């Protein structure tokens, strides 16, 4: 079989995006230390259920321009938490009280911490483009944005 490619994502920037009219989810995250680990809190001001959806896309910086990648789409909130967050991201959130798996839906109103998160981009090989990427994720309902984040980072082959 083919060895599974493993990438790390070295974060460069991380900024929260305010909602169109109100912000119901806040990603209060800073990048800390030389390794630029994600650190801070995620605050949800309401319970998020499947009346909300996630919209997101990734762009890759190629030949001096941001180009769309195959990673784009919209999914219902719970589908995202169970099919995407749990599969691709949860393993990176080692020191966090974020709800896991099915407990993440509905995603209860509250403040959750994430401490020193290093993104291990397990299993992204089929979709990912090495190098500088920009990713944006927002929470929507009826096409209105209620908050999200935009980040940039280098996707690099794992060395250790
Ligand atoms: C990292 O995040 C935790 C949890 O929110 C916080 O207590 C701590 O002060 C943060 N550390 C830094 C250096 O910002
Ligand atoms: C949301 O926007 C998409 C595309 O911009 C459109 O196809 C869809 O009908 C809109 N949905 C609602 C609920 O307005």
């Amino acid at each position: 079989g083919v060895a599974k490619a493993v990438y790390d994502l070295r974060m460069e920037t991380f900024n929260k995006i305010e909602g169109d009219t109100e912000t119901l989810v806040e990603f209060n995250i800073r990048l800390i230390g030389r390794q630029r680990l994600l650190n801070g809190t995620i605050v949800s001001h309401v319970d998020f259920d499947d009346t909300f959806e996630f919209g997101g896309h990734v762009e890759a910086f190629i030949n001096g321009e941001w180009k769309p990648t195959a990673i784009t789409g919209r999914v219902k909130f719970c589908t995202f938490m169970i099919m995407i967050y749990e599969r691709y991201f949860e393993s990176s959130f080692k020191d966090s009280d974020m709800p896991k798996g099915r407990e993440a839906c509905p995603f209860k109103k509250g403040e959750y911490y994430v401490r020193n998160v290093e993104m291990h981009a397990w299993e992204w090989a089929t979709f990912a483009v090495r190098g500088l990427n920009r990713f944006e994720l927002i929470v929507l309902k009826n096409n209105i944005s209620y908050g999200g984040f935009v980040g940039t980072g280098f996707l690099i082959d794992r060395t250790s």
Side-chain angles (χ1 to χ4, degrees):
V2 177
K4 216 177 256 177
V6 176
Y7 297 115
D8 281 333
L9 184 63
R10 188 189 183 283
M11 296 296 301
E12 287 291 309
T13 63
F14 189 98
N15 291 294
K16 69 170 147 182
I17 297 176
E18 305 281 330
D20 289 339
T21 54
E22 55 180 329
T23 305
L24 297 180
V25 59
E26 287 177 61
F27 293 86
N28 299 316
I29 306 245
R30 296 198 307 139
L31 301 176
I32 58 168
R34 197 175 52 82
Q35 291 172 279
R36 303 182 75 74
L37 305 176
L38 295 165
N39 198 82
T41 60
I42 296 170
V43 182
S44 58
H45 293 286
V46 294
D47 290 351
F48 287 101
D49 58 19
D50 261 350
T51 61
F52 290 88
E53 45 181 16
F54 276 100
H57 63 266
V58 177
E59 294 168 305
F61 198 66
I62 300 166
N63 297 330
E65 278 180 68
W66 290 108
K67 299 272 172 63
T69 69
I71 307 175
T72 180
R74 281 199 186 181
V75 287
K76 286 198 181 295
F77 197 93
C78 294
T79 307
F80 180 89
M81 294 310 292
I82 293 164
M83 305 294 292
I84 300 175
Y85 170 74
E86 187 180 357
R87 175 156 181 205
Y88 296 105
F89 297 97
E90 200 178 88
S91 67
S92 297
F93 289 70
K94 290 194 186 73
D95 187 1
S96 173
D97 59 357
M98 285 272 288
K100 292 192 190 308
R102 272 152 219 283
E103 289 166 30
C105 198
F107 191 87
K108 295 279 185 209
K109 177 177 172 175
E111 178 172 304
Y112 304 94
Y113 75 90
V114 297
R115 211 171 274 146
N116 301 333
V117 172
E118 183 180 9
M119 296 304 292
H120 298 300
W122 312 108
E123 296 183 53
W124 297 4
T126 24
F127 318 108
V129 179
R130 282 183 189 77
L132 186 59
N133 283 264
R134 178 164 70 190
F135 38 91
E136 187 182 303
L137 193 66
I138 54 176
V139 174
L140 299 144
K141 185 176 191 166
N142 300 327
N143 284 353
I144 295 164
S145 166
Y146 288 100
F149 63 82
V150 57
T152 59
F154 283 95
L155 200 58
I156 53 175
D157 290 299
R158 177 150 248 227
T159 47
S160 56

